[in-house]
């Protein structure tokens, strides 16, 4: 039995994505659902990127697991209040245009006739059934992979679980532990904090909020891409299919509805996905990648530098002889992305900018920050008395930037030296309270 908050499921039988031409009408077929599933930005359902390999990794190269420290994004949730308002307003209007004037095949239009918003503002950002299942299954796989080294029952001296002060993070934690222990355990959760210095450090960084999140320059590349030939082509195509002119804002609302409604239901696509071909989805995905690159990734040094607050906790717990060996934090997209950038993961040789749309890139939030994304370190004790560390992202052993190339594990001593300076200089209050002068993102790139 899953711990559930308000759950909403949309049951639509939909098809996607390559066109079948019937005169000048757009028709979606069922040949490439994967095109949708893996291009939904931070709303991508975890089931399409998870590692299903559950071979035991409690021992690697003769080294045995001794500690774990991990960050886990909450599972699939409902949209924010603003997106829900778009569903009840903008999309209801577009639905009417599609039914009355749309240049789509009759079967596709029939699915729009049946569509209606399934959530209200009261449900905003609540964890849904699929989100609970994502974390429950993640906990089950953890148990299988580390079998023999994780205690079978909850023990406060061995385990430390903590979540942010949000319903979606709390119920993600509860579902994870239910899967991990295969039973409901009386977990001792500490009091959640609104501004947790480890789980959501950026909430306490006023300078980051002013210099990045609310800085118009941080959205410069997104705005430029919004005026690109690629985006103009998307506007033209979708306006023709819908039967009336649609704005980029309306297209964003359709993309978000496509993403959320598809993430909610394991078996069905949202009808709003029927409007999108491969190129359209790629353009919309890149717009999302630009946004998160500049606001939560590598665009500004301060963005990822402040993540030292979380990694200081990692080293303190790994170095402690008395702290619980297994630490699990349940948090949010902003923490995961900033932490990936702090570690130097998925960094492209060139900054992501509007004109680089056709370039192959590493920074793809659909893959690196889906719902239920996870980033955890496992410490192993080796036969020669040394300690090594493995980094797992999305449940896959991932090379640690700066560690010997090709090595499955990195010696803990080497790993720690990589971050010595940044942890030692991690004066969070100072870095987050310095005077702010608006600058172009390019002025702050390293």
């Amino acid at each position: 039995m899953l711990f559930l908050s308000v759950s909403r499921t949309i049951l639509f039988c939909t098809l996607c994505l390559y066109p079948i031409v019937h005169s000048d009408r757009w028709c979606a077929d069922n040949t490439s659902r994967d095109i949708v599933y893996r291009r939904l930005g931070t709303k991508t359902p975890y089931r399409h990127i998870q590692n299903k390999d559950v071979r035991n990794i409690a021992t690697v190269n003769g080294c045995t697991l001794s500690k774990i420290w991990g960050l886990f994004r909450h599972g699939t949730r409902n949209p924010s209040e603003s997106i829900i308002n778009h569903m009840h307003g903008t999309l209801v209007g577009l639905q009417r245009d599609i039914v009355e004037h749309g240049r789509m095949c009759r079967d596709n239009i029939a699915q729009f006739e049946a569509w209606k918003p399934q959530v209200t503002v009261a449900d905003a950002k609540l964890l849904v059934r699929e989100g609970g299942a994502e974390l429950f299954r993640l906990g089950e796989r953890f148990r299988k992979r580390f079998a023999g080294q994780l205690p079978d029952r909850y023990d406060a001296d061995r385990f430390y679980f903590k979540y942010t002060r949000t319903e979606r993070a709390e119920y993600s934690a509860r579902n994870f532990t239910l899967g991990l222990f295969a039973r409901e355990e009386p977990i001792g959760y500490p009091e959640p904090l609104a501004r947790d210095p480890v789980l959501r450090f950026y909430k306490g960084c006023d300078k980051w909020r002013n210099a990045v999140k609310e800085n118009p320059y941080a959205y410069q590349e997104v705005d430029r891409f919004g005026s690109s030939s690629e985006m103009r082509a998307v506007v033209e195509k979708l306006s023709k299919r819908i039967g009336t002119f649609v704005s980029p804002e309306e297209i964003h609302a359709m993309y978000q509805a496509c993403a959320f409604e598809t993430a909610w239901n394991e078996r069905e696509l949202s009808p709003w996905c029927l409007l999108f071909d491969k190129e359209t989805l790629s353009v919309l995905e890149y717009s999302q990648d630009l946004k998160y690159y500049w606001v939560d990734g590598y665009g500004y040094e301060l963005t990822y530098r402040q993540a030292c607050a979380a990694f200081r906790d990692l080293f303190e717990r790994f170095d402690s002889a008395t702290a619980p060996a297994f630490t699990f934090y349940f948090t949010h997209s902003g923490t995961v992305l900033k932490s990936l950038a702090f570690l130097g993961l998925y960094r492209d040789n060139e900054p992501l900018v509007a004109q680089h749309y056709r370039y192959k890139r590493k920074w793809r939030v659909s893959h690196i920050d889906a719902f239920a994304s996870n980033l955890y370190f496992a410490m192993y004790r080796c036969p020669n008395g040394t300690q090594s560390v493995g980094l797992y992202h999305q449940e896959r052993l991932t090379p640690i930037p700066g560690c010997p190339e090709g090595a499955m594990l990195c010696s803990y001593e080497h790993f720690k030296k990589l971050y010595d300076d940044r942890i030692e200089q991690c004066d969070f209050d100072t870095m987050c309270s310095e005077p702010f002068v608006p600058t172009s993102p390019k002025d702050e790139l390293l």
Side-chain angles (χ1 to χ4, degrees):
M1 177 180 177
L2 297 180
F3 288 100
L4 296 174
S5 61
V6 175
S7 300
R8 293 294 184 269
T9 307
I10 288 187
L11 301 175
F12 287 108
C13 179
T14 58
L15 303 172
C16 214
L17 260 177
Y18 287 115
I20 302 172
V21 178
H22 290 269
S23 69
D24 62 343
R25 291 182 178 271
W26 165 258
C27 301
D29 70 19
N30 63 353
T31 56
S32 290
R33 289 184 173 216
D34 191 55
I35 292 173
V36 170
Y37 289 148
R38 299 178 67 84
R39 287 178 169 80
L40 298 178
T42 60
K43 311 309 182 292
T44 297
Y46 188 68
R47 60 184 177 267
H48 296 296
I49 63 165
Q50 71 185 35
N51 182 9
K52 297 180 181 179
D53 184 351
V54 292
R55 283 178 291 184
N56 192 293
I57 53 174
T59 301
V60 177
N61 290 349
C63 303
T64 305
L65 178 74
S66 61
K67 295 187 178 185
I68 290 175
W69 182 96
L71 300 171
F72 298 79
R73 185 187 174 195
H74 59 77
T76 295
R77 61 168 171 81
N78 279 327
S80 64
E81 181 176 340
S82 63
I83 296 299
I84 293 174
N85 286 334
H86 273 300
M87 287 178 167
H88 286 270
T90 303
L91 297 189
V92 169
L94 290 173
Q95 175 195 32
R96 183 169 55 250
D97 289 329
I98 291 169
V99 171
E100 295 178 359
H101 310 295
R103 304 300 297 170
M104 300 177 70
C105 286
R106 181 60 201 168
D107 289 347
N108 296 160
I109 291 178
Q111 292 174 70
F112 279 100
E113 288 178 322
W115 177 84
K116 61 180 179 179
Q118 298 293 300
V119 290
T120 66
V121 168
D123 304 320
K125 293 191 175 183
L126 296 180
L127 194 76
V128 299
R129 180 176 295 276
E130 176 64 15
E134 287 168 335
L135 271 297
F136 176 82
R137 291 191 290 259
L138 184 57
E140 285 187 318
R141 291 194 296 273
F142 244 83
R143 170 61 57 186
K144 292 177 181 178
R145 290 196 183 102
F146 296 106
Q149 296 303 315
L150 290 177
D152 292 334
R153 302 296 299 264
Y154 170 72
D155 179 346
D157 292 330
R158 305 291 305 281
F159 288 99
Y160 185 71
F161 299 99
K162 192 177 185 183
Y163 49 80
T164 64
R165 201 165 73 185
T166 61
E167 183 269 1
R168 58 194 182 278
E170 175 182 350
Y171 282 91
S172 291
R174 294 185 184 278
N175 278 288
F176 178 87
T177 57
L178 187 60
L180 183 67
F181 296 115
R183 62 177 71 84
E184 188 173 346
E185 293 273 345
I187 309 296
Y189 296 104
E191 185 69 24
L193 305 173
R195 291 191 169 191
D196 194 296
V198 176
L199 278 68
R200 227 175 180 184
F201 45 83
Y202 53 94
K203 289 291 186 178
C205 190
D206 293 338
K207 184 181 179 185
W208 174 79
R209 185 181 66 251
N210 295 325
V212 181
K213 187 176 182 180
E214 297 177 2
N215 178 6
Y217 286 117
Y219 301 88
Q220 187 170 266
E221 295 302 327
V222 178
D223 293 341
R224 285 174 176 165
F225 190 63
S227 301
S228 67
S229 59
E230 290 85 2
M231 189 61 76
R232 289 197 299 273
V234 166
V235 170
E236 183 178 348
K237 280 192 293 187
L238 294 182
S239 296
K240 182 177 180 181
R241 291 168 192 171
I242 291 171
T244 187
F245 174 79
V246 289
S247 67
E249 182 183 27
E250 290 170 322
I251 292 171
H252 176 71
M254 291 186 283
Y255 180 57
Q256 292 296 300
C258 163
F260 276 107
E261 293 179 357
T262 298
W264 291 339
N265 193 320
E266 187 171 356
R267 296 178 180 83
E268 311 297 341
L269 290 177
S270 163
W272 294 100
C273 301
L274 295 175
L275 291 161
F276 305 141
D277 53 38
K278 181 178 180 180
E279 175 66 10
T280 297
L281 280 166
S282 294
V283 169
L284 297 177
E285 181 191 31
Y286 190 66
S287 180
Q288 292 287 288
D289 289 344
L290 283 172
K291 171 188 172 182
Y292 288 103
Y293 180 91
W294 290 104
V295 175
D296 284 318
Y298 289 107
Y300 288 85
E301 178 190 357
L302 175 60
T303 298
Y304 54 89
R305 194 176 122 204
Q306 62 179 313
C308 65
F311 288 93
R312 179 169 54 197
D313 182 84
L314 179 152
F315 289 112
E316 288 173 353
R317 290 181 174 275
F318 273 9
D319 289 341
S320 173
T322 57
F326 307 112
T327 300
F328 299 88
Y329 291 134
F330 297 87
T331 182
H332 303 266
S333 169
T335 301
V336 172
L337 288 174
K338 294 173 184 68
S339 297
L340 292 175
F342 179 86
L343 295 169
L345 292 167
Y346 311 108
R347 185 166 194 166
D348 295 284
N349 294 331
E350 297 287 336
L352 259 63
V353 293
Q355 61 265 36
H356 288 176
Y357 166 62
R358 300 292 177 185
Y359 290 19
K360 186 176 181 180
R361 65 191 184 279
K362 300 175 185 176
W363 185 267
R364 292 188 64 184
V365 293
S366 298
H367 296 178
I368 66 177
D369 189 38
F371 282 128
S373 283
N374 47 87
L375 177 74
Y376 56 90
F377 291 86
M379 177 181 279
Y380 293 87
R381 186 178 296 107
C382 302
N384 61 3
T386 63
Q387 294 177 316
S388 294
V389 173
L391 165 61
Y392 295 85
H393 180 225
Q394 315 298 43
E395 306 175 76
R396 295 174 178 86
L397 189 58
T398 302
I400 300 173
C403 287
E405 189 173 348
M408 291 183 67
L409 301 179
C410 183
S411 80
Y412 182 59
E413 182 181 2
H414 182 93
F415 171 67
K416 195 172 180 181
K417 285 182 179 177
L418 291 174
Y419 302 98
D420 271 350
D421 290 344
R422 281 187 281 173
I423 298 301
E424 186 176 333
Q425 297 167 15
C426 187
D427 186 340
F428 191 83
D429 291 338
T430 298
M431 80 169 73
C432 288
S433 61
E434 294 167 349
F436 162 58
V437 178
T439 59
S440 166
K442 293 184 178 61
D443 294 339
E444 292 205 13
L445 279 172
L446 291 184

